[in-house]
Amino acid sequence: MQSVGNKLVVYGIFGMLLIGLIIPSISNGEADALIGQKAPELSGEPAVGGGLLKVSKMSRELEFVKDAQGKFIEKDGEYVMRITRNIIVLNFFATYCVPCIKEIPAFNRLYQKYRDKAVKLLYVNVDPEMDQAKVQRFIVEKHMEPPMMLPNQQQTMKAYGVESLPRIVIIDRDGNIAEVITGFQADLEQQLSDVIEKLSL
């Protein structure tokens, strides 16, 4: 009986190791399938403040052009408008995800680095049971600087193939998914900087 029990333990451990090897390859395959595809529409309430956050609106901003004195520029009796196409970095996040929390300082630094450029960083909360008040306290406690969206969790995870966390999706200025980063990355700041700089060319 003892030898049978030992075999079951060994098989169990082997099974877990095998699953651990298979799952990442499946996730990477799905991530590769998303690259080059049009980014699915994504919207939700901001965790802090009112209104609605919408990725399509963030990716393409319209603004009136001002001169050096801060006055709106007119041409042919109409104000001149400028369209800014932004790179979008979506960080799919849950408050229970320890690796996600470890990446907060790096994401904060990237937010500060690109906040005045045509790059938008956004947390996308996928907590299964979302309590806005708790999320707000969490943001303050963890000193999270980029805005956070509270979308429909199930629809969001299905649309972006989120099966594990951390997961970061980078959308280029044409609205296409350019890169997907899965799992904890010790060099996340450098990886994202490299992708953003490449897309900015």
Side-chain angles (χ1 to χ4, degrees), residues 3 16 25-26 28 95 99-101 103 112 122 126 135 143:
S3 61
M16 286 188 290
S25 64
I26 293 174
N28 290 338
T95 55
C100 298
I101 295 172
E103 291 179 343
Q112 291 298 332
L122 178 69
V126 292
V135 172
H143 307 288

Side-chain angles (χ1 to χ4, degrees), residues 28-44:
N28 290 338
E30 290 181 351
D32 291 341
L34 287 173
I35 295 175
Q37 300 296 317
K38 202 72 177 175
E41 181 56 276
L42 183 60
S43 63

Side-chain angles (χ1 to χ4, degrees), residues 4 10 48 52 61 83 96 102 104 107 122 150 162 196:
V4 173
V10 171
V48 179
L52 182 72
E61 293 182 313
I83 299 175
Y96 60 80
K102 288 183 178 179
I104 289 175
F107 211 59
L122 178 69
L150 306 178
V162 181
I196 290 171

Side-chain angles (χ1 to χ4, degrees), residues 137-154:
R137 288 196 295 271
F138 184 89
I139 290 172
V140 173
E141 290 171 1
K142 300 300 180 183
H143 307 288
M144 301 173 74
E145 297 179 19
M148 180 182 289
M149 175 192 289
L150 306 178
N152 179 291
Q153 187 237 16
Q154 291 185 345

Side-chain angles (χ1 to χ4, degrees), residues 39-181:
E41 181 56 276
L42 183 60
S43 63
E45 295 180 6
V48 179
L52 182 72
L53 289 173
K54 198 170 183 179
V55 168
S56 60
K57 188 174 181 181
M58 293 173 64
S59 64
R60 188 172 181 269
E61 293 182 313
L62 299 174
E63 61 180 337
F64 292 107
V65 181
K66 297 180 181 179
D67 60 20
Q69 286 71 44
K71 295 181 179 179
F72 293 116
I73 298 175
E74 289 187 53
K75 184 178 181 181
D76 299 328
E78 296 182 352
Y79 290 121
V80 177
M81 295 195 70
R82 175 171 54 210
I83 299 175
T84 301
R85 297 182 182 275
N86 297 313
I87 296 166
I88 307 293
V89 182
L90 302 177
N91 188 337
F92 293 89
F93 184 93
T95 55
Y96 60 80
C97 173
V98 176
C100 298
I101 295 172
K102 288 183 178 179
E103 291 179 343
I104 289 175
F107 211 59
N108 280 347
R109 289 192 294 270
L110 286 163
Y111 177 70
Q112 291 298 332
K113 179 178 179 180
Y114 292 106
R115 66 182 307 166
D116 295 325
K117 299 181 180 180
V119 180
K120 301 291 183 182
L121 278 73
L122 178 69
Y123 280 110
V124 181
N125 187 294
V126 292
D127 275 308
E129 294 183 4
M130 201 180 305
D131 184 308
Q132 189 167 1
K134 289 182 179 179
V135 172
Q136 289 175 349
R137 288 196 295 271
F138 184 89
I139 290 172
V140 173
E141 290 171 1
K142 300 300 180 183
H143 307 288
M144 301 173 74
E145 297 179 19
M148 180 182 289
M149 175 192 289
L150 306 178
N152 179 291
Q153 187 237 16
Q154 291 185 345
Q155 291 179 3
T156 298
M157 294 183 74
K158 182 179 180 181
Y160 279 87
V162 181
E163 293 188 348
S164 62
L165 298 172
R167 186 176 182 84
I168 292 177
V169 174
I170 302 98
I171 303 171
D172 65 21
R173 288 174 175 165
D174 294 321
N176 299 318
I177 295 176
E179 190 68 52
V180 179
I181 300 174

